[in-house]
Amino acid sequence: MRIGRFSYKEQVFTGNLSDDGKVYPLTGEIYRDIKTAPYGYPLEEVKVLAPCRPSKIVCVGLNYRDHAEELGLPVPDEPVLFLKPPTTVIGPGEAVVIPPQSKQVDFEGELAVVIRYRAKDITAEEAPYYILGYTPANDVTARDLQKKDGQWTRAKSFDTFCPLGPYIVTNVDPNNLTINTYLNGVLKQHVSTSSFIFNVYTLVSFISKVMTLLPGDVILTGTPAGVGTMLDGDKVEVEIENVGRLANPVIE
Ligand code: MG
């Protein structure tokens, strides 16, 4: 399934984009019963929003060896976690806004995990059951402020710093996907998630032993080497094999 959030006229709903090109609203409690309504809207007639509304976005720093090396940091022996507030989320096509406080706003193409069921103290073996699916994400980072502050809250938390979408794709193997990030059409990051230091199921288990994960919560699984700075007028795209392509303009 390709699950997203959409608006049609004044109405916002969660739906499944079917192969017939129509979006069928999901009925019942999100995401407990995934049943679709008998009617759909043509994709051209709806606006595609960010695919979920997380209570929190849990991010993993340094989950690829090559990115740790480019930052001159040691490879961690446990996942390093940080948070982005839900107010960072924007949907496909919405603009990333460079704040006046930063002179170096970087893209970080990442695989995002979306949680289906409330998860607390689960094992890696149990993790697939708790996961709804996967979507492309951009962990936008004010790199200069990250270095200056010595911790990451401000650098990671500006409004618009978490583009997500377009859809949450179910039924893919998250530990064997190719991620490509493009800046103005030029390939900047290229990696397979098979080179994760900590795989998706290990991460979900590890995080669930710290904090309760709720339906719609998002986990950003880390970025590979090749991060770079975005400027006013740029276009950044994160493309994940069998998951989708997330494109966002950048403005000052
Ligand atoms: Mg990141």
Side-chain angles (χ1 to χ4, degrees), residues 11-85:
Q11 182 196 358
V12 174
F13 63 95
T14 295
N16 176 47
L17 173 58
S18 174
D19 289 339
D20 67 6
K22 285 186 176 173
V23 176
Y24 292 84
L26 298 190
T27 59
E29 189 189 339
I30 305 294
Y31 302 101
R32 191 155 287 277
D33 320 298
I34 299 192
K35 295 193 195 100
T36 49
Y39 57 91
Y41 304 99
L43 184 61
E44 312 81 67
E45 293 180 20
V46 300
K47 182 174 192 289
V48 181
L49 308 175
C52 57
R53 300 185 70 195
S55 79
K56 55 190 168 296
I57 300 133
V58 189
C59 309
V60 180
L62 302 182
N63 200 21
Y64 294 96
R65 272 165 223 284
D66 56 356
H67 181 54
E69 282 162 12
E70 79 178 344
L71 294 178
L73 296 169
V75 173
D77 62 353
E78 286 190 310
V80 177
L81 303 182
F82 62 93
L83 293 168
K84 287 168 99 81

Side-chain angles (χ1 to χ4, degrees), residues 83-241:
L83 293 168
K84 287 168 99 81
T87 42
T88 55
V89 173
I90 58 172
E94 289 190 76
V96 173
V97 180
I98 298 173
Q101 296 95 322
S102 175
K103 296 277 172 288
Q104 189 188 1
V105 172
D106 284 6
F107 57 83
E108 294 190 356
E110 305 195 11
L111 175 72
V113 180
V114 182
I115 295 296
R116 180 169 184 181
Y117 300 115
R118 184 180 189 280
K120 176 66 180 166
D121 288 330
I122 63 165
T123 65
E125 291 69 35
E126 293 168 327
Y129 171 78
Y130 291 90
I131 295 170
L132 176 66
Y134 305 91
T135 196
N138 189 343
D139 175 19
V140 179
T141 304
R143 193 73 66 203
D144 49 353
L145 301 182
Q146 184 183 30
K147 289 175 183 155
K148 182 179 181 190
D149 291 354
Q151 49 86 2
W152 303 0
T153 305
R154 180 167 65 144
K156 296 284 190 178
S157 299
F158 287 95
D159 289 355
T160 75
F161 271 26
C162 190
L164 282 179
Y167 310 114
I168 302 160
V169 176
T170 60
N171 302 325
V172 292
D173 174 4
N175 298 308
N176 192 18
L177 295 170
T178 301
I179 304 178
N180 290 310
T181 310
Y182 300 87
L183 185 65
N184 301 323
V186 178
L187 182 64
K188 296 291 183 179
Q189 294 184 290
H190 173 76
V191 79
S192 168
T193 60
S194 63
S195 60
F196 277 144
I197 298 171
F198 305 104
N199 77 34
V200 162
Y201 305 139
T202 302
L203 291 175
V204 172
S205 169
F206 181 86
I207 295 165
S208 81
K209 291 172 182 172
V210 179
M211 64 191 92
T212 302
L213 292 166
L214 300 177
D217 277 357
V218 168
I219 297 169
L220 301 191
T221 54
T223 203
V227 300
T229 300
M230 302 177 292
L231 301 172
D232 183 32
D234 283 348
K235 179 184 177 191
V236 62
E237 293 164 282
V238 181
E239 181 184 53
I240 304 182
E241 174 190 15

